[in-house]
Amino acid sequence: QPFKVLATETINRKALDADIYNAIPTEKVDGTCCYVTTYRGQPYLWARLDRKPNKQAEKRFKKFLYSMEDSKEFIWNMDEDFKPVPECWIPAKEIQQSSGNPLPDENGHIPGWVPVEKNSKQYCWHSSVVNYEAEIALILKCQADDPGLLEISSVPLSDLLEQTLELIGTNINANPYGLGSKKHPIHLLVPHGAFEIKNPPILKHSDILSWFEGCREGKIEGIVWHCNDGHLIKLHRHHLGMCWPIEETHLNSQPVVIAVNRTKYDCEFEPKCLFNHFSKLDGQRFCRLKDIKFDV
């Protein structure tokens, strides 16, 4: 991007129209976006893959951006301007279409998804959190009975259909939550909106800044407000000129319990897979995510 995004003192018109004052504030988790939908007749995890313009088209687009204000006025040649994507690629649901073609967003990208195959080399960290034989995924969320306790559990992929999630872990975005190690990497899926902020700041620039700086609950990457009309309003620490990652995150200040029971499934877990490692820790509780270690 040829620009830096900074938050102003004024609430955006789109946020007001979406009734942000009555929205649910949740923690923005630092990972890579995923999606669960069907593929080959069964629930599958899909990885984010944006269709991007080729070099010539990107040059034209950037030149246009510098000379004009609205990127929506740029005219794309949908047949020639974009890099090829795999045949199984699908555009994201919210993308606008014209004459059957998905339209690029304001950055010139077409957000979309590709299915994560078992033992995929390109998406090996994605494939480590799903087991297609048992049709389950490794999920991190708050325990239902105790919101102050995190839980790592194996969840049926069918329960996650049409949901988006964030993949976090050892080899994602420099691992801001300190999960696992190079020798024994740990990756988990977090459903979007999983961590509701119980004591959010008042919607004023100064209050939000103070909340991020001085509140334990504010030791997060950002806030995502889930509005009643489906809109998501995002605010990142960087939008306030603040640093991320930080040394101690809110996610790592909470205890976590493991709930991965291998006896619930007919299939055998492979010895080196995450499901097998976590099943050996079933029922165990740790002070922090950082403290989880595999005895291998």
Side-chain angles (χ1 to χ4, degrees), residues 71-170:
S71 62
K72 290 179 182 176
E73 292 178 15
F74 185 78
I75 298 170
W76 295 96
N77 183 327
M78 299 308 297
D79 295 324
E80 298 177 8
D81 284 346
F82 289 87
K83 295 174 184 177
V85 286
E87 275 188 36
C88 52
W89 179 87
I90 58 171
K93 278 184 178 178
E94 68 272 13
I95 296 304
Q96 292 184 330
Q97 303 227 357
S98 175
S99 304
N101 288 318
L103 295 174
D105 61 19
E106 66 272 13
N107 299 312
H109 296 180
I110 307 173
W113 312 100
V114 286
V116 175
E117 299 282 9
K118 183 183 177 182
N119 301 323
S120 164
K121 286 186 178 179
Q122 186 177 0
Y123 298 109
C124 57
W125 311 124
H126 292 70
S127 66
S128 73
V129 298
V130 287
N131 181 313
Y132 291 131
E133 195 180 346
E135 295 194 356
I136 52 176
L138 278 171
I139 298 294
L140 173 69
K141 59 182 179 181
C142 294
Q143 196 183 59
D145 299 330
D146 183 358
L149 179 64
L150 297 175
E151 181 181 81
I152 294 170
S153 59
S154 50
V155 172
L157 277 164
S158 57
D159 289 358
L160 305 169
L161 275 170
E162 304 312 314
Q163 288 187 41
T164 55
L165 311 96
E166 205 76 10
L167 176 70
I168 64 171
T170 311

Side-chain angles (χ1 to χ4, degrees), residues 193-222:
F195 305 133
E196 185 178 340
I197 297 169
K198 300 301 179 188
N199 300 296
I202 296 168
L203 290 175
K204 287 185 179 178
H205 192 284
S206 57
D207 289 85
I208 294 172
L209 192 62
S210 299
W211 183 83
F212 274 121
E213 285 178 332
C215 177
R216 178 186 156 186
E217 216 178 351
K219 307 298 181 189
I220 59 178
E221 187 198 17

Side-chain angles (χ1 to χ4, degrees), residues 279-296:
S279 70
K280 291 177 181 177
L281 301 175
D282 184 42
Q284 290 193 39
R285 183 169 170 154
F286 298 85
C287 292
R288 304 177 304 170
L289 286 168
K290 281 182 181 178
D291 297 335
I292 298 172
K293 299 286 186 291
F294 296 143
D295 183 19
V296 290

Side-chain angles (χ1 to χ4, degrees), residues 26-34 140 165-179 186-193 195 219-224 234-238 243-246 249-251 289:
T26 66
E27 175 177 349
K28 184 182 187 304
V29 179
D30 188 0
T32 182
C33 196
C34 304
L140 173 69
L165 311 96
E166 205 76 10
L167 176 70
I168 64 171
T170 311
N171 297 290
I172 307 294
N173 292 1
N175 195 17
Y177 306 111
L179 279 165
I186 292 176
H187 297 88
L188 299 163
L189 288 168
V190 180
H192 284 156
F195 305 133
K219 307 298 181 189
I220 59 178
E221 187 198 17
I223 304 174
V224 180
K234 299 181 186 183
L235 179 71
H236 193 290
R237 277 176 164 260
H238 290 158
C243 289
W244 179 266
I246 55 177
T249 62
H250 179 53
L251 203 57
L289 286 168

